[in-house]
Amino acid sequence: MEWTVYNFECADADARESLLEWFEATSPVEIPEDDDSVHGVLTDAGGEEIRADLAWIAEYVYVLTNPRVDGLLDDSADRWERAVVAEFDSTTETCEEATLYRSEGGEAVEQARYEGVEELGGQGMVYRFAMDHQFRFRAFAHAPPAPTITKHFGAFDAVVGLGWGSDGTDVFERETGVSPTAQGVAFLEDDPVLDEGEFYEADGSR
């Protein structure tokens, strides 16, 4: 079985709110005012209802579903700047495919694609998108949406322990083939889910 992760990068927090309002207007999901995540249902282009988990922080909205939601990317493209759609194998928790899009004239235009990287999990993709694109990808990968899921921890994962020359940086560079950059490391360090100084903890994950 697979699950699909949608990552939407909006221009700012106001644009993020506009995207969340779009979800409410087009699907039977209610976005709470006093929380940062919700279990709900999205309606695809064919009218089918698909169970989904949504979470949001800063200028990003994250969506987790099992199948892809037909029309979701294109129909919302006038409300986000960039987006990533990634598919994960639920048994191995490895990323089978991840595609970066940019919204141009209200249309989703492919910018980069990663396919078939054996044993490359969510944290590796967090690193890769930070270094290559300064995009705050999250795997949202702890569990596919189901009635028993209780909390959206995966939407707020971040990598830590990636200071220059750290073991964590060496591992991610080896797994992804992507060398660390000063801009990418600074981007990871500035993750809004991290407390001050937490990025330099030694265990390499959060």
Side-chain angles (χ1 to χ4, degrees):
M1 191 171 76
E2 296 178 342
W3 68 76
T4 305
V5 183
Y6 293 86
N7 288 210
F8 298 100
E9 179 190 71
C10 301
D12 50 35
D14 289 339
R16 183 204 72 193
E17 289 304 309
S18 177
L19 177 58
L20 291 173
E21 290 170 1
W22 178 87
F23 279 112
E24 282 193 308
T26 59
S27 296
V29 59
E30 295 184 9
I31 305 299
E33 295 184 0
D34 57 352
D35 208 342
D36 53 15
S37 60
V38 67
H39 307 288
V41 172
L42 300 182
T43 305
D44 71 8
E48 181 180 354
E49 293 188 348
I50 297 174
R51 185 177 295 278
D53 294 337
L54 289 79
W56 49 93
I57 186 170
E59 69 271 31
Y60 285 85
V61 175
Y62 302 99
V63 179
L64 171 67
T65 66
N66 283 133
R68 292 198 181 208
V69 181
D70 291 341
L72 175 57
L73 196 68
D74 292 328
D75 292 347
S76 64
D78 61 341
R79 300 185 182 241
W80 46 264
E81 300 283 311
R82 295 189 296 172
V84 169
V85 183
E87 291 185 350
F88 284 81
D89 180 271
S90 61
T91 302
T92 63
E93 295 194 359
T94 57
C95 184
E96 297 183 330
E97 178 181 297
T99 306
L100 172 68
Y101 299 88
R102 181 177 294 278
S103 178
E104 296 183 3
E107 296 185 359
V109 179
E110 183 176 324
Q111 301 290 301
R113 180 184 293 264
Y114 303 98
E115 297 179 327
V117 181
E118 186 176 359
E119 297 182 358
L120 184 58
Q123 297 288 354
M125 297 307 293
V126 170
Y127 170 89
R128 166 169 270 170
F129 275 106
M131 296 305 160
D132 283 349
H133 305 288
Q134 284 72 62
F135 184 96
R136 209 170 293 290
F137 178 81
R138 298 191 204 276
F140 208 159
H142 284 266
T148 56
I149 186 172
T150 57
K151 186 60 181 172
H152 306 274
F153 297 116
F156 304 112
D157 274 353
V159 294
V160 298
L162 296 188
W164 288 106
S166 70
D167 291 342
T169 303
D170 291 343
V171 168
F172 282 125
E173 182 177 8
R174 183 170 62 253
E175 289 182 346
T176 64
V178 177
S179 299
T181 66
Q183 188 177 18
V185 170
F187 185 75
L188 289 174
E189 181 183 2
D190 195 40
D191 194 309
V193 307
L194 296 177
D195 296 329
E196 184 176 356
E198 187 177 1
F199 178 72
Y200 292 101
E201 290 183 359
D203 64 0
S205 63
R206 184 180 189 271

